[in-house]
Amino acid sequence: MGDQAIAAETSGASSSGSQTEAALELIRSRIIDLTLPPGSRIDEALLLKQFELGRTPAREAINRLAAEGFVRIAPNRGGTFVRKLDLAEMSEIIVAHQLVENTLGQLCNLDDPSLVDDLRAIQEDYRQEVGDRHYLRITELNEAFHMRMNASIGNSFFMEFARSTHHHVRRLLMHVYSLEASRPDHQDEQFQLNVAEHDRIIEAVAAHDRATLTDLLPAHAGTTQERLVDIIRSKKVAPFAINVKDPALNSYT
């Protein structure tokens, strides 16, 4: 094969890969922000027409999303479906999140020379987005904050697990935020608590205070469960389509 043919083939592969990555990011974002609701069907026509994706990038993106656990391919049901988000599913996400944050507290590299500065920069953006109530961006920056600490560990296997978990946490948080929106004063308090917790995490990292960090991170992860339980108990939000008698959270109902 000549140099020009190789270059053309490489360019084509690179273009296809870029299109797949763009398609993956777009569909994942629409699942996370609930534009594609839990349980909804994703078909090729939707991806080609509504999202203006090419057939090959769309199919490859769907396969990647299936590997990430965001969609289920069910040939016997005639298609691909967004993963549901009932209480049992939420409970699994919460448990995985707690596991990630517990491990992060123990393994975060407090000697990483740029870690504190990076966290402070992310926190400034996070604080701004919280003030503006840009929910999707809030979840994105929250993930970036925690993944920066995960990156300091230097373990690619754990990094992938943490990233996958935080992707699913983002979708859960979007659901929580949308349900909390009917109680703006309460939501304000919850967001300010999150901002303050991030500040304390940064202080612990800066002080090389491992003991405090291992306490803060799991407690911080636990606030998602607390917010969800508060929503279930509240009578100030519209009913939503989950079974509040699910055994996973029976002790809270």
Side-chain angles (χ1 to χ4, degrees):
M1 183 181 294
D3 290 345
Q4 290 184 338
I6 292 174
E9 182 175 305
T10 302
S11 175
S14 175
S15 175
S16 176
S18 298
Q19 291 175 6
T20 298
E21 288 298 328
L24 175 65
E25 183 62 31
L26 175 63
I27 302 170
R28 186 197 291 124
S29 293
R30 297 294 78 81
I31 292 173
I32 288 173
D33 71 11
L34 307 177
T35 299
L36 290 172
S40 62
R41 186 174 184 270
I42 302 179
D43 57 25
E44 195 169 281
L46 172 74
L47 300 179
L48 297 180
K49 182 177 180 180
Q50 182 173 337
F51 296 122
E52 299 182 349
L53 300 175
R55 183 171 280 104
T56 297
R59 287 177 178 173
E60 292 177 354
I62 287 297
N63 288 334
R64 293 269 297 277
L65 288 166
E68 292 181 3
F70 274 114
V71 302
R72 305 291 194 194
I73 299 174
N76 59 324
R77 292 178 58 198
T80 301
F81 298 84
V82 177
R83 188 169 184 161
K84 45 181 197 175
L85 193 61
D86 55 19
L87 280 183
E89 183 78 14
M90 293 178 188
S91 180
E92 290 186 3
I93 295 171
I94 287 168
V95 169
H97 191 199
Q98 287 281 355
L99 176 59
V100 167
E101 295 302 287
N102 269 286
T103 304
L104 178 58
Q106 297 171 44
L107 299 182
C108 181
N109 181 8
L110 303 181
D111 293 321
D112 184 324
S114 62
L115 179 56
V116 173
D117 287 343
D118 289 346
L119 292 178
R120 285 173 175 159
I122 296 169
Q123 176 72 342
E124 284 308 304
D125 290 341
Y126 181 79
R127 198 187 310 273
Q128 178 64 48
E129 299 299 342
V130 164
D132 293 338
R133 290 297 185 271
H134 292 160
Y135 291 161
L136 186 62
R137 182 65 175 150
I138 290 170
T139 68
E140 181 183 347
L141 287 167
N142 182 68
E143 177 180 337
F145 184 90
H146 290 271
M147 290 309 300
R148 177 59 186 89
M149 285 188 285
N150 277 289
S152 76
I153 298 173
N155 185 311
S156 61
F157 290 97
F158 183 71
M159 186 77 167
E160 287 305 311
F161 173 61
R163 180 180 291 110
S164 175
T165 299
H166 275 285
H167 283 344
H168 289 278
V169 169
R170 287 183 64 192
R171 188 167 73 130
L172 175 55
L173 287 174
M174 286 295 298
H175 191 48
V176 169
Y177 297 164
S178 66
L179 292 171
E180 282 182 340
S182 64
R183 305 167 64 197
D185 291 342
H186 173 75
Q187 188 174 69
D188 286 346
E189 294 175 1
Q190 295 302 310
F191 275 131
Q192 290 311 310
L193 175 63
N194 281 355
V195 170
E197 288 175 344
H198 276 193
D199 286 335
R200 288 197 293 273
I201 289 168
I202 295 172
E203 291 171 5
V205 172
H208 285 61
D209 186 349
R210 176 80 62 190
T212 297
L213 189 64
T214 54
D215 287 338
L216 284 174
L217 286 171
H220 179 58
T223 60
T224 302
Q225 176 175 322
E226 292 167 5
R227 291 172 83 160
L228 178 61
V229 169
D230 188 73
I231 288 168
I232 293 172
R233 287 174 171 165
S234 172
K235 299 183 184 301
K236 297 182 180 179
V237 295
F240 50 101
I242 59 176
N243 175 17
V244 296
K245 295 186 180 300
D246 189 288
L249 290 178
N250 251 356
S251 58
Y252 301 107
T253 57

